[in-house]
């Protein structure tokens, strides 16, 4: 069981988190706190494995509270303010749930907690404890990841996992190797193109492709797999052909 702490200064929000924790078989609600100061007092005498923590709270906000812990448990931030997302991931948050969120979103965050604990166990401690060499402080995300807002969540995506990006009106579909369904996010192709490294190329007004994932090029289309064929737009043909020329072996 994963011992959890829930922190929120809004009683109804705290009650909802507690109810969701009760619906996940591998989570156990150890304590509910209506302030970060109350949570800090608890951690001086006890430990938890994970914290579901609101950010915008009086006296001490959730972000500063987590930063103040010498060795912090795993954390999932729960807040209505999207502007805290990047800062949240800088303290290695497992997930970031934008209010209002439902049980399905909460379950995904819980699954990420479980995966993180299984791959890299973390021992909770109070701020007075010194970090243990076997449990180093988590590092910040690298430039190999991006953050995308989808539904009520902001998710971390590995750039190497992206197969291609598809424009859909003012939204983008980001197709991943690891997921059967795309991540749908409100973002422009220009902004995505600027963020991705040179292993990605715009091949059409509606498509950016990961060049390392291409299986075949057939006339004016790129074949990603047996079911995925992407068109090469006229204004992008010359650039893509120059790329092919640098990789082509043969006469």
């Amino acid at each position: 069981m994963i011992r959890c702490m829930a922190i929120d200064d809004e009683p109804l929000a705290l009650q909802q988190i507690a109810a969701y924790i009760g619906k996940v078989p591998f989570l156990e609600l150890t304590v509910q706190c209506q302030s970060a100061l109350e949570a800090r007092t608890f951690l001086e005498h006890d430990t938890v494995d994970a914290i579901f923590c609101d950010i915008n709270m009086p006296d001490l906000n959730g972000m500063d509270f987590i930063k103040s812990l010498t060795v912090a448990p795993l954390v999932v931030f729960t807040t209505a303010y999207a502007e805290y997302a990047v800062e949240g991931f800088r303290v290695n948050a497992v997930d970031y749930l934008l209010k209002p969120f439902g049980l399905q979103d909460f379950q995904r965050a819980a699954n990420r907690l479980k995966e993180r604990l299984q791959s890299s166990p973390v021992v909770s401690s109070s701020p007075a404890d010194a970090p243990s060499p076997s449990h180093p402080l988590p590092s910040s995300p690298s430039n190999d990841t991006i953050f995308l807002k989808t539904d009520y969540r902001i998710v971390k995506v590995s750039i190497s996992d992206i197969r291609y990006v598809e424009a859909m009106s003012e939204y983008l579909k980001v197709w991943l190797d690891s997921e059967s369904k795309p991540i749908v996010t409100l973002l422009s192709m220009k902004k995505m193109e600027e963020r991705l490294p040179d292993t990605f190329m715009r091949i059409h007004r509606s498509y950016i492709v990961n060049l390392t994932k291409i299986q075949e090029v057939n006339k004016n289309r790129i074949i990603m797999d047996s079911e995925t064929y992407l068109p090469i737009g006229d204004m992008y043909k010359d650039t893509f052909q120059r790329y092919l020329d640098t990789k082509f072996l043969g006469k």
Side-chain angles (χ1 to χ4, degrees), residues 48-235:
V48 294
D49 301 308
I51 299 175
F52 291 88
C53 185
D54 187 26
I55 293 179
N56 194 29
M57 295 185 291
D59 298 325
L60 178 64
N61 73 46
M63 192 72 66
D64 290 338
F65 165 65
I66 295 300
K67 289 178 180 178
S68 74
L69 301 178
T70 306
V71 180
L74 297 181
V75 61
V76 173
F77 285 116
T78 61
T79 183
Y81 299 92
E83 60 266 27
Y84 290 112
V86 173
E87 188 179 359
F89 283 110
R90 283 176 182 160
V91 298
N92 210 36
V94 174
D95 211 338
Y96 185 103
L97 295 174
L98 281 175
K99 297 177 181 177
F101 54 86
L103 179 58
Q104 186 176 5
D105 296 313
F106 186 88
Q107 179 72 63
R108 288 198 205 97
N111 289 338
R112 285 190 169 94
L113 277 175
K114 185 178 181 182
E115 291 169 4
R116 183 77 70 85
L117 281 170
Q118 289 174 340
S119 62
S120 181
V122 175
V123 173
S124 306
S125 67
S126 69
D129 295 332
S132 165
S134 60
H135 300 285
L137 290 173
S139 58
S140 298
S142 71
N143 288 330
D144 296 332
T145 59
I146 58 176
F147 304 108
L148 299 175
K149 180 180 178 182
T150 177
D151 297 324
Y152 299 118
R153 304 164 56 247
I154 292 181
V155 297
K156 181 167 63 174
V157 175
S158 172
I159 289 177
S160 62
D161 193 30
I162 299 174
R163 299 180 67 225
Y164 64 96
V165 179
E166 178 183 0
M168 184 182 63
S169 187
E170 68 267 33
Y171 290 85
L172 298 182
K173 289 183 178 180
V174 182
W175 294 86
L176 307 178
D177 276 335
S178 60
E179 301 286 345
S180 60
K181 294 182 179 180
I183 293 174
V184 179
T185 184
L186 181 61
L187 195 65
S188 69
M189 285 288 273
K190 185 177 184 298
K191 192 166 185 179
M192 176 63 82
E193 191 175 11
E194 290 172 349
R195 177 62 183 84
L196 293 173
D198 57 10
T199 51
F200 288 79
M201 182 179 290
R202 184 88 170 261
I203 60 161
H204 188 276
R205 64 188 300 272
S206 298
Y207 293 99
I208 298 172
V209 65
N210 186 337
L211 297 169
T212 67
K213 309 285 186 181
I214 296 174
Q215 290 191 2
E216 187 177 334
V217 180
N218 189 335
K219 296 183 179 178
N220 292 328
R221 62 183 184 177
I222 288 173
I223 300 173
M224 305 298 290
D225 55 48
S226 60
E227 298 179 350
T228 308
Y229 299 77
L230 306 181
I232 303 172
D234 290 340
M235 65 183 296

